[in-house]
Amino acid sequence: MKILFTSQSGIRVPTPPARRLKDLAMRVVAYVRPSCITPSSIISVVCTNDAEMARLNTAWKKREGPTDVLSFPLGEGQGPATACLGEIFINGHMVIRRAKDAGVSA
């Protein structure tokens, strides 16, 4: 299984945290839907910003304003040949704010 990690937020995500995100995504899928994992399976993880997250939140969840994380399953009901299992959007700006509020580094 492949985890595609991209940043649209303008925030540079250092390699170790990006690697930890990929590892976490792999463990979650292996636990929740192990039958979906094939060598060609893909999960897209996108680090985005407040504005894009607010747009997605309004468009898909009908809620105003940004949120921390949104996830979208893809390919459900299309059988095991589906390569992309889903997309996870993480609000990089909110991660930084929450880390600061908690007194930890992001």
Side-chain angles (χ1 to χ4, degrees):
M1 183 169 82
K2 237 187 213 182
I3 307 292
L4 301 178
F5 187 84
T6 57
S7 179
Q8 299 176 339
S9 63
I11 297 170
R12 187 183 165 281
V13 180
T15 301
R19 196 169 292 135
R20 284 195 303 265
L21 282 171
K22 288 180 179 183
D23 291 344
L24 177 62
M26 297 266 287
R27 286 195 311 263
V28 168
V29 172
Y31 179 76
V32 176
R33 302 210 42 202
S35 63
C36 290
I37 299 174
T38 68
S40 62
S41 297
I42 299 169
I43 292 179
S44 173
V45 179
V46 180
C47 182
T48 192
N49 57 36
D50 282 332
E52 179 62 8
M53 193 61 96
R55 187 190 73 74
L56 289 169
N57 203 22
T58 301
W60 294 98
K61 302 294 183 180
K62 307 298 184 228
R63 296 184 185 137
E64 287 189 30
T67 188
D68 304 35
V69 176
L70 289 171
S71 62
F72 302 96
L74 299 177
E76 286 194 0
Q78 296 176 11
T82 302
C84 191
L85 299 176
E87 292 183 296
I88 301 167
F89 289 83
I90 300 170
N91 185 341
H93 293 150
M94 195 168 285
V95 167
I96 291 170
R97 285 193 301 274
R98 298 249 171 141
K100 185 179 176 185
D101 292 346
V104 297
S105 62

Coordinates of all heavy atoms in Angstrom, one line a residue:
M1 N 0.9 -1.2 0.0 CA 0.0 0.0 0.0 C 0.9 1.2 0.0 O 1.9 1.3 0.6 CB -0.9 0.0 1.2 CG -1.8 1.2 1.2 SD -3.1 1.1 2.5 CE -2.3 1.7 3.9
K2 N 0.4 2.3 -0.7 CA 1.2 3.5 -0.8 C 0.4 4.6 -0.1 O -0.8 4.7 -0.2 CB 1.3 3.9 -2.3 CG 2.6 4.1 -2.8 CD 2.5 4.7 -4.2 CE 3.7 4.2 -5.0 NZ 3.7 4.7 -6.3
I3 N 1.1 5.5 0.6 CA 0.5 6.7 1.1 C 1.1 7.9 0.4 O 2.3 8.1 0.4 CB 0.8 6.8 2.7 CG1 0.4 5.6 3.4 CG2 0.2 8.1 3.2 CD1 -1.0 5.3 3.5
L4 N 0.3 8.7 -0.3 CA 0.8 9.9 -1.0 C 0.6 11.1 -0.1 O -0.5 11.3 0.3 CB 0.0 10.1 -2.3 CG 0.1 8.9 -3.3 CD1 -0.8 9.2 -4.5 CD2 1.5 8.6 -3.7
F5 N 1.6 11.7 0.3 CA 1.6 12.9 1.2 C 1.9 14.2 0.4 O 3.0 14.2 -0.2 CB 2.5 12.7 2.3 CG 2.4 13.8 3.4 CD1 1.4 13.6 4.4 CD2 3.2 14.9 3.4 CE1 1.3 14.6 5.3 CE2 3.1 15.8 4.3 CZ 2.1 15.7 5.3
T6 N 1.0 15.1 0.4 CA 1.3 16.4 -0.3 C 0.9 17.6 0.6 O 0.1 17.4 1.5 CB 0.5 16.5 -1.6 OG1 -0.9 16.4 -1.3 CG2 0.9 15.5 -2.6
S7 N 1.5 18.7 0.4 CA 1.2 19.9 1.2 C 0.7 21.0 0.3 O 1.4 21.4 -0.7 CB 2.4 20.4 2.0 OG 2.1 21.5 2.7
Q8 N -0.5 21.5 0.6 CA -1.0 22.6 -0.2 C -1.1 23.8 0.7 O -1.6 24.9 0.3 CB -2.5 22.3 -0.6 CG -2.7 21.1 -1.5 CD -4.1 20.9 -1.8 OE1 -5.0 21.2 -1.1 NE2 -4.4 20.1 -2.9
S9 N -0.6 23.7 1.9 CA -0.7 24.8 2.9 C 0.3 25.8 2.9 O 0.2 26.9 3.5 CB -0.8 24.2 4.3 OG 0.4 23.6 4.6
G10 N 1.4 25.6 2.2 CA 2.6 26.5 2.2 C 3.4 26.2 3.5 O 4.4 26.8 3.7
I11 N 3.0 25.2 4.3 CA 3.7 24.8 5.5 C 4.6 23.6 5.1 O 4.1 22.6 4.5 CB 2.8 24.4 6.6 CG1 1.9 25.6 7.0 CG2 3.5 23.8 7.8 CD1 0.8 25.2 8.0
R12 N 5.9 23.8 5.3 CA 6.8 22.7 5.0 C 6.7 21.6 6.1 O 6.8 21.9 7.3 CB 8.2 23.1 4.9 CG 9.1 22.1 4.4 CD 10.6 22.6 4.4 NE 11.5 21.5 4.3 CZ 11.8 20.7 5.3 NH1 11.4 20.8 6.5 NH2 12.7 19.7 5.1
V13 N 6.3 20.4 5.7 CA 6.2 19.3 6.7 C 7.5 18.5 6.7 O 7.8 17.9 5.6 CB 5.0 18.4 6.4 CG1 4.9 17.3 7.5 CG2 3.7 19.2 6.4
P14 N 8.3 18.6 7.7 CA 9.6 17.8 7.7 C 9.4 16.3 7.5 O 8.3 15.8 7.8 CB 10.2 18.1 9.1 CG 9.5 19.3 9.6 CD 8.1 19.3 9.0
T15 N 10.4 15.7 7.0 CA 10.3 14.3 6.7 C 9.9 13.4 7.9 O 9.0 12.6 7.7 CB 11.6 13.7 6.1 OG1 11.9 14.5 4.9 CG2 11.6 12.3 5.7
P16 N 10.5 13.5 9.1 CA 10.0 12.6 10.1 C 8.5 12.7 10.5 O 7.9 11.6 10.5 CB 10.9 13.0 11.3 CG 12.2 13.5 10.7 CD 11.7 14.2 9.5
P17 N 8.0 13.9 10.6 CA 6.5 13.9 10.9 C 5.7 13.4 9.7 O 4.7 12.7 9.9 CB 6.2 15.4 11.1 CG 7.5 16.0 11.6 CD 8.5 15.2 10.8
A18 N 6.1 13.6 8.5 CA 5.4 13.1 7.3 C 5.5 11.6 7.3 O 4.5 10.9 7.0 CB 6.0 13.7 6.0
R19 N 6.6 11.0 7.7 CA 6.8 9.6 7.8 C 5.9 9.0 8.8 O 5.3 8.0 8.7 CB 8.3 9.2 8.0 CG 8.6 7.8 7.7 CD 10.1 7.5 7.7 NE 10.7 8.1 6.6 CZ 11.8 8.8 6.7 NH1 12.5 9.0 7.8 NH2 12.4 9.4 5.6
R20 N 5.8 9.7 10.0 CA 4.9 9.2 11.1 C 3.5 9.3 10.6 O 2.7 8.4 11.0 CB 5.1 10.1 12.3 CG 6.4 9.7 13.1 CD 6.4 10.3 14.5 NE 6.3 11.7 14.6 CZ 7.3 12.6 14.6 NH1 8.5 12.2 14.6 NH2 7.0 13.9 14.7
L21 N 3.1 10.3 9.9 CA 1.7 10.3 9.4 C 1.4 9.2 8.4 O 0.4 8.5 8.5 CB 1.4 11.6 8.6 CG 1.2 12.9 9.5 CD1 1.1 14.1 8.6 CD2 -0.1 12.7 10.2
K22 N 2.4 8.9 7.6 CA 2.2 7.7 6.7 C 2.1 6.4 7.4 O 1.2 5.6 7.1 CB 3.4 7.7 5.7 CG 3.4 8.7 4.6 CD 4.6 8.6 3.7 CE 4.6 9.7 2.7 NZ 5.7 9.5 1.8
D23 N 2.9 6.2 8.4 CA 2.9 5.0 9.2 C 1.6 4.9 10.0 O 1.0 3.8 10.0 CB 4.0 5.0 10.3 CG 5.4 4.8 9.6 OD1 5.5 4.4 8.4 OD2 6.4 5.1 10.3
L24 N 1.1 6.0 10.5 CA -0.2 6.0 11.2 C -1.4 5.6 10.3 O -2.2 4.8 10.6 CB -0.5 7.4 11.9 CG -1.8 7.5 12.6 CD1 -2.0 6.5 13.7 CD2 -2.0 8.9 13.1
A25 N -1.4 6.2 9.1 CA -2.4 5.9 8.1 C -2.4 4.4 7.7 O -3.4 3.8 7.6 CB -2.3 6.8 6.9
M26 N -1.2 3.9 7.6 CA -1.1 2.5 7.2 C -1.6 1.6 8.3 O -2.4 0.6 8.1 CB 0.4 2.1 7.0 CG 1.0 2.8 5.8 SD 1.0 1.9 4.3 CE 2.1 0.7 4.5
R27 N -1.3 1.9 9.6 CA -1.8 1.1 10.7 C -3.3 1.2 10.8 O -4.0 0.2 11.1 CB -1.1 1.6 12.0 CG 0.3 1.1 12.1 CD 0.9 1.2 13.5 NE 0.6 2.5 14.1 CZ 1.5 3.5 14.1 NH1 2.7 3.4 13.6 NH2 1.2 4.6 14.7
V28 N -3.9 2.4 10.6 CA -5.3 2.6 10.7 C -6.1 1.7 9.7 O -7.0 1.0 10.0 CB -5.7 4.1 10.6 CG1 -7.2 4.2 10.5 CG2 -5.3 4.8 11.9
V29 N -5.6 1.8 8.5 CA -6.3 1.0 7.4 C -6.1 -0.5 7.7 O -7.0 -1.2 7.5 CB -5.7 1.4 6.0 CG1 -6.2 0.5 4.9 CG2 -6.1 2.8 5.7
A30 N -4.9 -0.9 8.1 CA -4.7 -2.3 8.4 C -5.6 -2.8 9.5 O -6.1 -4.0 9.4 CB -3.2 -2.5 8.8
Y31 N -5.9 -1.9 10.4 CA -6.8 -2.3 11.5 C -8.3 -2.3 11.1 O -9.1 -3.2 11.4 CB -6.6 -1.4 12.7 CG -7.5 -1.7 13.9 CD1 -7.2 -2.8 14.7 CD2 -8.6 -0.9 14.2 CE1 -8.0 -3.1 15.8 CE2 -9.4 -1.2 15.3 CZ -9.1 -2.3 16.1 OH -9.9 -2.6 17.1
V32 N -8.7 -1.2 10.4 CA -10.1 -1.0 10.1 C -10.6 -1.8 8.9 O -11.7 -2.4 8.9 CB -10.4 0.5 9.9 CG1 -11.8 0.8 9.5 CG2 -10.1 1.3 11.2
R33 N -9.8 -1.8 7.9 CA -10.2 -2.5 6.6 C -9.1 -3.3 6.0 O -8.6 -3.0 4.9 CB -10.7 -1.5 5.6 CG -11.8 -0.7 6.2 CD -12.9 -0.1 5.4 NE -13.4 -0.9 4.3 CZ -14.0 -0.3 3.3 NH1 -14.1 1.0 3.2 NH2 -14.5 -1.1 2.3
P34 N -8.6 -4.3 6.7 CA -7.4 -5.0 6.2 C -7.6 -5.7 4.9 O -6.7 -5.8 4.1 CB -7.2 -6.1 7.3 CG -8.4 -6.2 8.1 CD -9.1 -4.9 8.0
S35 N -8.9 -6.0 4.5 CA -9.1 -6.7 3.2 C -9.0 -5.7 2.1 O -8.9 -6.1 0.9 CB -10.6 -7.2 3.2 OG -11.5 -6.2 3.3
C36 N -8.9 -4.4 2.3 CA -8.7 -3.4 1.3 C -7.3 -3.2 0.9 O -7.0 -2.6 -0.1 CB -9.3 -2.0 1.7 SG -11.1 -2.0 1.9
I37 N -6.4 -3.7 1.7 CA -5.0 -3.4 1.4 C -4.4 -4.4 0.4 O -4.5 -5.6 0.5 CB -4.1 -3.5 2.7 CG1 -4.6 -2.5 3.7 CG2 -2.6 -3.3 2.4 CD1 -4.0 -2.5 5.1
T38 N -3.9 -3.8 -0.7 CA -3.3 -4.5 -1.8 C -2.0 -3.8 -2.1 O -1.9 -2.6 -1.7 CB -4.1 -4.7 -3.0 OG1 -4.3 -3.4 -3.6 CG2 -5.5 -5.2 -2.7
P39 N -1.1 -4.3 -2.8 CA 0.1 -3.6 -3.2 C -0.2 -2.3 -4.0 O 0.6 -1.4 -4.0 CB 0.9 -4.6 -4.0 CG 0.5 -5.9 -3.5 CD -1.0 -5.7 -3.2
S40 N -1.3 -2.3 -4.7 CA -1.7 -1.1 -5.5 C -2.6 -0.1 -4.7 O -2.9 0.9 -5.3 CB -2.3 -1.5 -6.8 OG -3.5 -2.2 -6.5
S41 N -2.9 -0.4 -3.5 CA -3.8 0.5 -2.7 C -3.1 1.8 -2.5 O -1.9 1.9 -2.2 CB -4.2 -0.1 -1.4 OG -4.9 -1.3 -1.6
I42 N -3.9 2.9 -2.5 CA -3.3 4.3 -2.3 C -4.2 5.0 -1.3 O -5.5 4.9 -1.4 CB -3.2 5.1 -3.6 CG1 -2.3 4.4 -4.6 CG2 -2.8 6.5 -3.3 CD1 -2.4 4.9 -6.0
I43 N -3.6 5.7 -0.4 CA -4.3 6.7 0.4 C -3.6 8.1 0.2 O -2.4 8.1 0.3 CB -4.3 6.4 1.9 CG1 -5.1 5.1 2.2 CG2 -4.9 7.5 2.8 CD1 -5.2 4.7 3.6
S44 N -4.4 9.1 0.0 CA -3.9 10.4 -0.2 C -4.0 11.2 1.1 O -5.1 11.3 1.6 CB -4.6 11.1 -1.4 OG -4.2 12.5 -1.4
V45 N -2.9 11.7 1.6 CA -2.9 12.6 2.8 C -2.5 14.0 2.3 O -1.4 14.1 1.8 CB -2.0 12.1 3.9 CG1 -2.0 13.0 5.1 CG2 -2.4 10.7 4.3
V46 N -3.4 15.0 2.5 CA -3.1 16.3 2.1 C -3.0 17.3 3.3 O -4.0 17.4 4.0 CB -4.2 16.8 1.1 CG1 -3.9 18.2 0.6 CG2 -4.3 15.8 -0.1
C47 N -1.9 18.0 3.4 CA -1.8 19.0 4.4 C -2.3 20.3 3.7 O -1.7 20.8 2.8 CB -0.4 19.1 4.9 SG -0.2 20.4 6.2
T48 N -3.3 20.9 4.3 CA -3.9 22.1 3.6 C -4.0 23.3 4.6 O -3.5 23.2 5.7 CB -5.2 21.8 2.9 OG1 -5.6 22.8 2.1 CG2 -6.3 21.5 3.9
N49 N -4.6 24.4 4.2 CA -4.7 25.5 5.1 C -6.2 25.8 5.5 O -7.1 25.2 5.1 CB -4.1 26.7 4.4 CG -4.7 27.0 3.0 OD1 -6.0 26.9 2.9 ND2 -4.0 27.4 2.1
D50 N -6.3 26.9 6.3 CA -7.6 27.3 6.9 C -8.6 27.5 5.7 O -9.8 27.1 5.8 CB -7.5 28.5 7.7 CG -7.0 28.2 9.1 OD1 -7.2 27.1 9.6 OD2 -6.4 29.2 9.7
A51 N -8.2 28.3 4.7 CA -9.2 28.7 3.7 C -9.7 27.5 2.9 O -10.9 27.3 2.7 CB -8.5 29.7 2.7
E52 N -8.8 26.6 2.5 CA -9.2 25.4 1.8 C -10.0 24.5 2.6 O -11.0 23.9 2.2 CB -8.0 24.7 1.2 CG -8.3 23.4 0.4 CD -9.1 23.6 -0.8 OE1 -9.4 24.8 -1.2 OE2 -9.6 22.6 -1.4
M53 N -9.6 24.3 3.9 CA -10.4 23.5 4.8 C -11.8 24.0 5.0 O -12.7 23.2 5.1 CB -9.6 23.3 6.1 CG -10.2 22.2 6.9 SD -10.1 20.5 6.1 CE -8.6 19.9 6.8
A54 N -11.9 25.3 5.1 CA -13.2 25.9 5.3 C -14.1 25.7 4.1 O -15.3 25.4 4.2 CB -13.1 27.4 5.6
R55 N -13.5 25.8 2.9 CA -14.2 25.5 1.6 C -14.7 24.1 1.6 O -15.8 23.8 1.2 CB -13.3 25.9 0.4 CG -14.0 25.8 -0.9 CD -13.0 25.9 -2.1 NE -12.3 24.7 -2.2 CZ -12.8 23.5 -2.7 NH1 -14.0 23.4 -3.1 NH2 -12.0 22.4 -2.8
L56 N -13.8 23.2 1.9 CA -14.2 21.7 1.9 C -15.2 21.4 2.9 O -16.2 20.7 2.6 CB -12.9 20.9 2.1 CG -11.9 20.8 1.0 CD1 -10.6 20.1 1.5 CD2 -12.5 20.1 -0.2
N57 N -15.1 22.0 4.1 CA -16.0 21.8 5.2 C -17.4 22.3 4.8 O -18.4 21.6 5.0 CB -15.6 22.5 6.4 CG -16.1 21.9 7.7 OD1 -16.6 20.7 7.7 ND2 -16.1 22.7 8.8
T58 N -17.5 23.4 4.1 CA -18.8 24.0 3.7 C -19.4 23.1 2.5 O -20.6 22.8 2.6 CB -18.6 25.4 3.2 OG1 -18.1 26.2 4.3 CG2 -19.9 26.0 2.7
A59 N -18.5 22.8 1.6 CA -19.0 22.0 0.4 C -19.5 20.6 0.8 O -20.5 20.2 0.2 CB -17.9 22.0 -0.6
W60 N -18.8 19.9 1.6 CA -19.1 18.5 1.9 C -19.8 18.2 3.2 O -20.6 17.3 3.2 CB -17.8 17.7 1.8 CG -17.2 17.7 0.5 CD1 -16.2 18.5 0.0 CD2 -17.6 16.9 -0.7 NE1 -15.9 18.3 -1.3 CE2 -16.8 17.3 -1.8 CE3 -18.6 16.0 -0.8 CZ2 -16.9 16.7 -3.0 CZ3 -18.7 15.4 -2.1 CH2 -17.9 15.8 -3.1
K61 N -19.6 19.0 4.2 CA -20.2 18.8 5.5 C -21.3 19.8 5.8 O -21.9 19.7 6.9 CB -19.1 18.8 6.6 CG -18.0 17.8 6.4 CD -18.6 16.3 6.5 CE -17.4 15.3 6.4 NZ -17.9 14.0 6.5
K62 N -21.4 20.8 5.0 CA -22.4 21.9 5.2 C -22.2 22.6 6.5 O -23.1 23.0 7.2 CB -23.8 21.4 5.1 CG -24.2 20.6 3.9 CD -24.0 21.4 2.6 CE -24.4 20.6 1.4 NZ -23.5 20.7 0.3
R63 N -20.9 22.7 6.9 CA -20.5 23.4 8.2 C -19.6 24.6 7.8 O -18.7 24.4 7.0 CB -19.8 22.5 9.1 CG -20.7 21.4 9.6 CD -20.0 20.5 10.6 NE -20.8 19.4 11.0 CZ -20.4 18.2 11.1 NH1 -19.1 17.9 10.9 NH2 -21.2 17.2 11.4
E64 N -19.8 25.7 8.4 CA -19.0 26.9 8.1 C -17.7 26.9 8.9 O -17.6 26.4 10.0 CB -19.7 28.2 8.5 CG -20.8 28.5 7.5 CD -21.4 29.9 7.7 OE1 -20.7 30.8 8.1 OE2 -22.6 30.0 7.4
G65 N -16.7 27.4 8.3 CA -15.4 27.5 8.9 C -14.5 26.3 8.8 O -14.9 25.3 8.4
P66 N -13.2 26.5 9.1 CA -12.2 25.4 9.0 C -12.4 24.4 10.1 O -13.0 24.7 11.1 CB -10.9 26.2 9.1 CG -11.1 27.4 9.9 CD -12.6 27.8 9.6
T67 N -11.9 23.2 9.9 CA -11.9 22.2 10.9 C -10.5 21.5 10.9 O -9.6 21.9 10.0 CB -13.0 21.1 10.6 OG1 -13.0 20.2 11.7 CG2 -12.7 20.4 9.3
D68 N -10.2 20.6 11.8 CA -8.9 20.0 11.9 C -8.6 19.0 10.7 O -7.6 19.1 10.1 CB -8.8 19.1 13.2 CG -9.1 19.9 14.4 OD1 -9.9 20.8 14.4 OD2 -8.5 19.6 15.4
V69 N -9.5 18.0 10.6 CA -9.3 16.9 9.6 C -10.7 16.6 8.9 O -11.7 16.6 9.6 CB -8.8 15.7 10.4 CG1 -8.7 14.5 9.4 CG2 -7.5 15.9 11.1
L70 N -10.6 16.3 7.7 CA -11.7 15.8 6.9 C -11.2 14.5 6.2 O -10.0 14.5 5.7 CB -12.2 16.8 5.9 CG -13.0 18.0 6.4 CD1 -13.3 19.0 5.3 CD2 -14.3 17.5 7.1
S71 N -12.0 13.5 6.1 CA -11.6 12.3 5.3 C -12.8 12.0 4.4 O -13.9 12.1 4.7 CB -11.3 11.2 6.3 OG -12.4 10.8 7.0
F72 N -12.4 11.5 3.2 CA -13.3 11.1 2.2 C -13.0 9.7 1.7 O -11.9 9.5 1.1 CB -13.3 12.1 1.0 CG -13.5 13.5 1.5 CD1 -12.5 14.4 1.7 CD2 -14.8 13.9 1.6 CE1 -12.8 15.7 2.1 CE2 -15.1 15.2 2.0 CZ -14.1 16.1 2.3
P73 N -13.9 8.7 1.8 CA -13.6 7.4 1.3 C -13.8 7.5 -0.2 O -14.7 8.2 -0.7 CB -14.7 6.5 1.9 CG -15.8 7.4 2.3 CD -15.1 8.8 2.6
L74 N -13.0 6.8 -0.9 CA -13.1 6.7 -2.4 C -13.2 5.2 -2.8 O -12.7 4.4 -2.2 CB -11.9 7.3 -3.1 CG -11.6 8.8 -2.8 CD1 -10.4 9.2 -3.5 CD2 -12.8 9.6 -3.3
G75 N -13.9 5.0 -3.9 CA -14.0 3.7 -4.4 C -14.8 2.7 -3.7 O -14.7 1.5 -4.0
E76 N -15.6 3.1 -2.7 CA -16.4 2.1 -2.0 C -17.4 1.5 -3.0 O -18.0 2.2 -3.8 CB -17.2 2.8 -0.9 CG -16.2 3.1 0.3 CD -17.0 3.4 1.6 OE1 -18.2 3.4 1.6 OE2 -16.3 3.7 2.5
G77 N -17.6 0.2 -2.9 CA -18.6 -0.5 -3.7 C -18.0 -0.8 -5.1 O -18.8 -1.3 -5.9
Q78 N -16.8 -0.5 -5.3 CA -16.2 -0.8 -6.7 C -15.3 -2.0 -6.7 O -14.7 -2.3 -7.7 CB -15.4 0.4 -7.2 CG -16.3 1.6 -7.3 CD -15.5 2.9 -7.7 OE1 -14.4 2.8 -8.1 NE2 -16.2 4.0 -7.7
G79 N -15.3 -2.8 -5.6 CA -14.5 -4.0 -5.6 C -13.0 -3.8 -5.2 O -12.6 -2.7 -5.1
P80 N -12.3 -4.9 -5.1 CA -10.9 -4.8 -4.7 C -9.9 -4.2 -5.7 O -8.8 -3.9 -5.3 CB -10.5 -6.3 -4.5 CG -11.5 -7.1 -5.3 CD -12.7 -6.2 -5.4
A81 N -10.4 -4.0 -6.9 CA -9.5 -3.4 -7.9 C -9.3 -1.9 -7.7 O -8.4 -1.3 -8.3 CB -10.0 -3.7 -9.3
T82 N -10.1 -1.3 -6.9 CA -10.0 0.2 -6.7 C -8.6 0.5 -6.0 O -8.3 0.0 -5.0 CB -11.1 0.7 -5.7 OG1 -12.3 0.3 -6.4 CG2 -11.0 2.1 -5.5
A83 N -7.9 1.3 -6.7 CA -6.5 1.7 -6.1 C -6.6 2.7 -5.0 O -6.0 2.5 -4.0 CB -5.6 2.2 -7.3
C84 N -7.3 3.8 -5.2 CA -7.4 4.8 -4.2 C -8.5 4.5 -3.1 O -9.6 4.5 -3.4 CB -7.6 6.2 -4.8 SG -7.3 7.5 -3.6
L85 N -8.0 4.3 -1.9 CA -9.0 4.0 -0.8 C -9.6 5.3 -0.3 O -10.7 5.2 0.2 CB -8.3 3.3 0.3 CG -7.6 2.0 0.0 CD1 -6.9 1.4 1.2 CD2 -8.7 1.0 -0.5
G86 N -8.9 6.4 -0.3 CA -9.5 7.6 0.2 C -8.5 8.8 0.3 O -7.4 8.6 0.0
E87 N -9.1 9.9 0.7 CA -8.3 11.1 1.0 C -8.5 11.6 2.4 O -9.6 11.6 2.9 CB -8.6 12.2 0.0 CG -8.3 11.9 -1.5 CD -8.6 13.1 -2.4 OE1 -9.8 13.4 -2.5 OE2 -7.7 13.6 -2.9
I88 N -7.4 12.0 3.0 CA -7.4 12.7 4.3 C -6.8 14.1 4.2 O -5.7 14.2 3.7 CB -6.6 11.8 5.3 CG1 -7.2 10.4 5.4 CG2 -6.6 12.5 6.7 CD1 -6.3 9.4 6.1
F89 N -7.6 15.1 4.6 CA -7.2 16.4 4.5 C -6.9 16.9 6.0 O -7.8 16.8 6.8 CB -8.2 17.4 3.9 CG -8.3 17.2 2.4 CD1 -9.1 16.2 1.9 CD2 -7.7 18.0 1.6 CE1 -9.3 16.0 0.6 CE2 -7.8 17.8 0.2 CZ -8.6 16.8 -0.3
I90 N -5.7 17.4 6.2 CA -5.3 17.8 7.5 C -5.0 19.3 7.4 O -4.3 19.8 6.6 CB -4.0 17.1 8.0 CG1 -4.2 15.6 8.1 CG2 -3.5 17.7 9.4 CD1 -3.0 14.8 8.3
N91 N -5.6 20.1 8.3 CA -5.4 21.5 8.3 C -4.1 21.9 9.1 O -4.0 21.9 10.3 CB -6.6 22.2 9.0 CG -6.5 23.7 9.0 OD1 -5.5 24.3 8.8 ND2 -7.7 24.3 9.2
G92 N -3.0 22.1 8.3 CA -1.7 22.4 8.9 C -1.7 23.6 9.8 O -1.0 23.7 10.8
H93 N -2.5 24.7 9.4 CA -2.5 25.9 10.3 C -3.2 25.6 11.6 O -2.7 26.0 12.6 CB -3.3 27.0 9.5 CG -2.6 27.5 8.3 ND1 -3.2 28.0 7.3 CD2 -1.3 27.6 8.0 CE1 -2.4 28.4 6.3 NE2 -1.2 28.1 6.8
M94 N -4.2 24.8 11.6 CA -4.9 24.4 12.9 C -4.0 23.5 13.7 O -4.0 23.6 14.9 CB -6.2 23.8 12.6 CG -7.1 23.7 13.9 SD -8.8 23.3 13.6 CE -9.4 24.8 12.9
V95 N -3.2 22.6 13.1 CA -2.3 21.8 13.8 C -1.3 22.7 14.6 O -1.0 22.4 15.8 CB -1.5 20.8 12.9 CG1 -0.4 20.2 13.6 CG2 -2.5 19.8 12.3
I96 N -0.8 23.7 13.9 CA 0.2 24.6 14.6 C -0.4 25.3 15.7 O 0.1 25.4 16.8 CB 0.8 25.5 13.5 CG1 1.7 24.7 12.6 CG2 1.6 26.6 14.2 CD1 2.2 25.5 11.4
R97 N -1.6 25.8 15.5 CA -2.3 26.6 16.6 C -2.6 25.6 17.8 O -2.4 26.0 19.0 CB -3.7 27.2 16.1 CG -3.5 28.4 15.2 CD -4.8 29.1 15.0 NE -5.8 28.3 14.4 CZ -6.0 28.2 13.1 NH1 -5.2 28.7 12.2 NH2 -7.0 27.4 12.6
R98 N -3.1 24.5 17.5 CA -3.4 23.5 18.6 C -2.2 23.1 19.4 O -2.2 22.9 20.6 CB -4.2 22.3 18.1 CG -5.5 22.7 17.4 CD -6.6 22.2 18.3 NE -7.9 22.8 17.7 CZ -9.0 22.1 17.6 NH1 -9.0 20.9 18.0 NH2 -10.0 22.7 17.2
A99 N -1.1 22.9 18.6 CA 0.2 22.5 19.3 C 0.6 23.7 20.2 O 1.1 23.4 21.3 CB 1.2 22.2 18.3
K100 N 0.6 24.9 19.7 CA 1.0 26.0 20.5 C 0.1 26.1 21.8 O 0.6 26.4 22.9 CB 0.9 27.3 19.6 CG 1.4 28.5 20.3 CD 1.3 29.7 19.4 CE 1.7 31.0 20.2 NZ 1.5 32.2 19.4
D101 N -1.2 26.0 21.6 CA -2.1 26.0 22.8 C -1.8 25.0 23.8 O -2.0 25.2 25.0 CB -3.6 25.9 22.3 CG -4.1 27.1 21.5 OD1 -3.4 28.1 21.5 OD2 -5.2 26.9 20.9
A102 N -1.3 23.8 23.3 CA -1.0 22.7 24.2 C 0.4 22.8 24.8 O 0.8 21.9 25.6 CB -1.2 21.4 23.5
G103 N 1.2 23.8 24.3 CA 2.5 23.9 24.7 C 3.5 22.9 24.2 O 4.5 22.6 24.8
V104 N 3.2 22.4 23.0 CA 4.1 21.5 22.3 C 4.5 22.0 20.9 O 3.8 22.9 20.4 CB 3.5 20.0 22.2 CG1 3.3 19.4 23.6 CG2 2.2 20.0 21.4
S105 N 5.5 21.4 20.3 CA 5.9 21.8 19.0 C 5.1 21.0 18.0 O 4.7 19.9 18.2 CB 7.4 21.6 18.8 OG 7.7 20.3 18.9
A106 N 4.8 21.6 16.9 CA 4.0 21.0 15.8 C 4.9 20.1 14.9 O 5.9 20.4 14.6 CB 3.2 22.0 15.0

